[in-house]
Amino acid sequence: MACLILNRRCPANPERGGAEKYLIEMSKGFPVESGPITWVSSRVKGMPQTEKVGNLRYVRLGNEITCHFYGFVICLRNNWELIIDGFNGVGFFTFAFKNRVLLIHQLYSEFWRVIFPKLGSFLEYLEKFFLKLYLNCPTITVSASTKTDLEALGFKDVTIIENGCDEPKVNNSEKETTLTLAYLGRIKRTKNPDDAINAYMEIKKKIPEAKLWIIGDGPELERMRSQYTNCTHILFYGYVEDSIRDELLSRAHFLLVPSIREGWGQVVIQANACGTPAIGYDVPGLRDSIIHNKTGILVKDYQEMAKVVLELWTRHRDFYKALCYNAKEWAKNFSWEKTRKAFIDFLESRGFLKGDLQNKRF
């Protein structure tokens, strides 16, 4: 089967995130005998232009803007049986192709105004304009929030296929003896990591020995390290392997998620799988991954985030323990195997998979 994945980043990109993790897991649903899958993305300095890894053939061309045009040209040059167009603020212009599927995790909306304050409103308009070209495409998204956003634009065929969850790579780590908070994710403005620190500073006024672990890499990491270099209880781990990530999540008491918006909130479920509830902003995506007052708490700002943590820690420990238990049970609903099956079922239902491939998908 000639399958083409179009996504602005590949899994080796330093800026990789949940979208790349999702596509990697989906690609495992195709049997090796179906042939290689071509993945077109941007190219980062030092990366080979083409590379074969397992059943994936990576083609890296241009930057995160021009790769969309290169991807479109590659669509024209071959007779692809399936094209997966990863829409991240802009797509690869495949709306007129017959065998295309749109994959979108979230609308950028508020992101544009944060990243480009002067052009934000115009770029938000452009995003919606380009999306409307895909109205008749079979579409996959990861949350009810994004499905609602798409349907408001006029999309008719939107299927939710939620993210999976990695099995925790940890052996019964005990929680820290002192209150410990964690932030996990890219260190960039759209993830709002400064608000995690703002919440922590409010908590520290009441509990001076409290700790905050910042886990992840990104463009704002060095700035934040310099800014908070004298705060001895704030530890910046940078990028860590999955086993260390899960150990830290298991030992922390709360995950703080102050994102502006999310497609789903992969870090929430990963923390939940480690027995740690999330306190997150009441925004699209996090409203889907956090069940308010059951697996975590949704809040409006960092002041409320700090207030909730303090109340749970000092006055409502039984409720906190219930959140931990419910979070771990909630995470059991998600696995990459389940997500892959839903993805292949979707492709079969739309007639993309035919013949022997239907019987050899795993």
Side-chain angles (χ1 to χ4, degrees):
M1 181 180 185
C3 177
L4 176 66
I5 292 174
L6 301 169
N7 194 68
R8 64 175 178 170
R9 296 171 186 157
C10 70
N13 191 303
E15 296 285 325
R16 66 191 179 276
E20 291 69 46
K21 170 70 171 176
Y22 188 92
L23 280 167
I24 275 287
E25 294 295 338
M26 296 306 97
S27 70
K28 295 176 183 177
F30 293 93
V32 174
E33 57 266 35
S34 69
I37 299 168
T38 300
W39 182 321
V40 176
S41 71
S42 59
R43 185 182 184 190
V44 175
K45 186 177 179 180
M47 286 185 183
Q49 183 171 315
T50 61
E51 183 180 17
K52 183 77 162 50
V53 180
N55 68 330
L56 285 167
R57 175 177 173 264
Y58 294 103
V59 178
R60 304 181 179 102
L61 299 165
N63 58 37
E64 291 196 4
I65 296 175
T66 60
C67 71
H68 294 84
F69 300 99
Y70 285 115
F72 176 75
V73 171
I74 289 173
C75 285
L76 293 173
R77 286 181 176 176
N78 294 276
N79 184 25
W80 303 101
E81 295 177 61
L82 172 64
I83 300 169
I84 299 174
D85 187 334
F87 196 104
N88 290 281
V90 64
F92 288 79
F93 314 111
T94 66
F95 43 84
F97 288 80
K98 180 180 179 181
N99 295 326
R100 77 284 184 254
V101 170
L102 183 68
L103 171 62
I104 177 170
H105 291 256
Q106 62 191 341
L107 274 66
Y108 271 37
S109 298
E110 300 91 340
F111 289 178
W112 294 122
R113 296 192 289 274
V114 170
I115 302 169
F116 303 104
K118 293 182 180 180
L119 294 173
S121 297
F122 174 67
L123 292 172
E124 185 176 0
Y125 165 80
L126 275 184
E127 177 189 24
K128 291 179 179 178
F129 171 80
F130 284 126
L131 270 174
K132 287 183 178 181
L133 298 174
Y134 290 88
L135 289 182
N136 296 319
C137 293
T139 300
I140 296 173
T141 192
V142 296
S143 69
S145 290
T146 305
K147 181 177 182 180
T148 298
D149 288 340
L150 292 171
E151 289 177 340
L153 292 174
F155 279 73
K156 304 298 183 185
D157 183 7
V158 183
T159 300
I160 299 172
I161 302 178
E162 294 166 334
N163 289 47
C165 180
D166 293 324
E167 282 289 325
K169 299 175 176 62
V170 64
N171 293 318
N172 299 319
S173 290
E174 296 290 332
K175 297 289 186 187
E176 293 288 292
T177 55
T178 57
L179 175 60
T180 302
L181 315 171
Y183 168 93
L184 171 64
R186 293 290 296 166
I187 313 298
K188 60 182 183 180
R189 283 182 290 170
T190 55
K191 297 291 186 181
N192 220 6
D194 284 287
D195 268 16
I197 293 183
N198 290 335
Y200 166 73
M201 291 301 188
E202 293 295 314
I203 292 164
K204 190 174 172 62
K205 293 175 183 177
K206 303 288 187 181
I207 306 176
E209 68 276 14
K211 297 180 291 185
L212 173 63
W213 296 339
I214 305 290
I215 310 163
D217 199 354
E220 297 293 309
L221 178 59
E222 291 309 313
R223 189 268 303 170
M224 293 182 72
R225 273 181 168 155
S226 299
Q227 184 174 345
Y228 299 104
T229 187
N230 294 324
C231 299
T232 57
H233 290 324
I234 300 179
L235 299 179
F236 291 89
Y237 283 87
Y239 173 80
V240 298
E241 297 298 326
D242 290 354
S243 58
I244 298 174
R245 172 202 67 192
D246 291 345
E247 180 188 352
L248 293 172
L249 289 175
S250 295
R251 288 163 51 196
H253 296 98
F254 299 96
L255 179 73
L256 305 184
V257 195
S259 299
I260 294 171
R261 73 159 45 215
E262 292 280 351
W264 164 248
Q266 183 64 32
V267 297
V268 170
I269 303 302
Q270 198 61 47
N272 290 172
C274 297
T276 300
I279 313 297
Y281 281 2
D282 188 4
V283 297
L286 296 182
R287 294 177 188 139
D288 304 275
S289 54
I290 298 173
I291 304 178
H292 183 55
N293 281 335
K294 184 174 181 180
T295 67
I297 308 290
L298 294 169
V299 298
K300 66 179 183 295
D301 53 30
Y302 75 84
Q303 290 99 335
E304 188 178 3
M305 181 176 278
K307 181 181 178 182
V308 165
V309 169
L310 287 169
E311 287 184 352
L312 288 170
W313 186 252
T314 60
R315 298 175 54 196
H316 303 292
R317 296 299 279 273
D318 287 341
F319 184 37
Y320 167 71
K321 291 177 182 177
L323 289 176
C324 292
Y325 175 82
N326 292 337
K328 200 162 189 174
E329 291 299 305
W330 168 238
K332 292 177 182 178
N333 291 298
F334 306 96
S335 72
W336 288 115
E337 182 180 359
K338 179 180 176 181
T339 306
R340 282 192 293 271
K341 183 180 184 306
F343 176 66
I344 299 301
D345 287 346
F346 169 88
L347 295 180
E348 288 181 355
S349 70
R350 299 307 192 279
F352 288 109
L353 302 185
K354 301 174 183 178
D356 291 342
L357 185 58
Q358 288 183 311
N359 300 316
K360 298 177 180 178
R361 59 191 184 193
F362 294 111

